[in-house]
Amino acid sequence: MILELDCGNSLIKWRALSPDSGVVVAQGASSSSIELLSELTSLALLRISKARLVSVRSDQETAEICSRISDALGVGVQRAVPSKELGGVVNGYLEYERLGMDRWLAMVGAFQLRRNAMLVVDLGTAVTADLVDENGLHLGGYICPGLSLLRSQLHTHTQRIRYSMEEELSSCDALEPGRTTGEAVERGCLLMLRSFVSSQIAHASGRFGTDVSVYATGGDAALIEDIDLVQRVPDLVFRGLAIACP
């Protein structure tokens, strides 16, 4: 089995898949390396033969995660690194090595689905939107706060915005004007997120015409998958990781 890991800002997402069929046999998400190791110990019966990893965390923290995985499972960990070109996609950053690896691999993974102009939106702790033309040239992108950051900024910088987790969860099932503070904040932040995505789609459509693909990935992608043209592909980063670390 192959172990794949995506070490994001908030969670370490992982999955184990068969090298022959590509079928995912186990997957999960951990909030820390300690929790990750606890979950991975149950994978011993799956006979992990190799591991590959992408990380947006510090080099020190990433190295520690790799070391712990190697010690626990007895396998080497291959780490995806920045590149100028991969899988038909050309890195568009002025300093290619400074482009976030999750964004880069999401674009590479998406371009394999259909080699045409595309918008790739990754909705996690931060929300990123990247444009790639039909020749695979990355034209650049945008970064803005994700839903959790929008919410936390209001909690941090306003004295009277306080509400419970239960109220938060119950506020997410509608977009009507909120009649409680929790509803108003949650729905307001969600509308900001959806408006950002809609504006990116309008921009991409205006630039590329109707033959543009819009892919969404990341933990909050389900919140925008009903928007016209959006195709939700949860494993875009893992698809790119398989190309970076074959």
Side-chain angles (χ1 to χ4, degrees), residues 94-137:
L94 298 177
E95 299 176 75
Y96 76 90
E97 66 276 4
R98 296 183 66 86
L99 176 63
M101 286 300 300
D102 50 351
R103 291 171 63 192
W104 176 233
L105 294 186
M107 284 186 277
V108 171
F111 199 61
Q112 313 312 309
L113 298 174
R114 184 177 176 222
R115 299 199 169 208
N116 67 321
M118 64 184 190
L119 169 68
V120 181
V121 185
D122 192 339
L123 299 98
T125 303
V127 174
T128 62
D130 286 283
L131 290 165
V132 178
D133 71 14
E134 66 275 9
N135 298 312
L137 177 62

Side-chain angles (χ1 to χ4, degrees), residues 4 15 31 39 65-66 76 80 87 95 147 157 164 213-214 228 233 239:
E4 297 181 325
R15 69 182 190 178
S31 59
E39 293 182 341
I65 293 172
C66 291
E95 299 176 75
L147 193 61
H157 297 288
S164 67
S213 296
V214 180
D228 193 33
V233 187
R239 289 171 183 257

Side-chain angles (χ1 to χ4, degrees), residues 11-67:
L11 295 173
I12 303 174
K13 297 173 285 291
W14 61 269
R15 69 182 190 178
L17 67 159
S18 167
D20 299 320
S21 64
V23 173
V24 177
V25 297
Q27 59 186 330
S30 308
S31 59
S32 67
S33 58
I34 295 175
E35 183 181 324
L36 172 67
L37 288 175
S38 177
E39 293 182 341
L40 292 184
T41 52
S42 64
L43 298 182
L45 296 177
L46 297 179
R47 297 182 181 178
I48 300 297
S49 59
K50 67 174 295 185
R52 51 193 177 212
L53 171 149
V54 57
S55 177
V56 297
R57 303 191 176 196
S58 69
D59 289 338
Q60 180 178 351
E61 187 174 359
T62 301
E64 180 182 344
I65 293 172
C66 291
S67 177

Side-chain angles (χ1 to χ4, degrees), residues 134-212:
E134 66 275 9
N135 298 312
L137 177 62
H138 174 221
L139 303 178
Y142 303 89
I143 304 173
C144 70
L147 193 61
S148 62
L149 284 179
L150 290 172
R151 180 190 299 127
S152 67
Q153 285 300 299
L154 282 172
H155 277 265
T156 300
H157 297 288
T158 53
Q159 294 184 16
R160 291 185 177 271
I161 291 185
R162 298 290 185 272
Y163 52 93
S164 67
M165 177 64 71
E166 290 75 14
E167 190 176 359
E168 172 187 320
L169 294 174
S170 65
S171 301
C172 295
D173 57 358
L175 290 175
E176 293 298 313
R179 300 183 67 186
T180 67
T181 297
E183 288 180 352
V185 169
E186 292 301 316
R187 295 174 187 181
C189 290
L190 179 55
L191 279 172
M192 288 188 70
L193 180 71
R194 290 171 62 88
S195 296
F196 172 77
V197 173
S198 295
S199 70
Q200 291 299 313
I201 294 173
H203 174 70
S205 298
R207 185 161 192 161
F208 298 126
T210 57
D211 189 32
V212 60

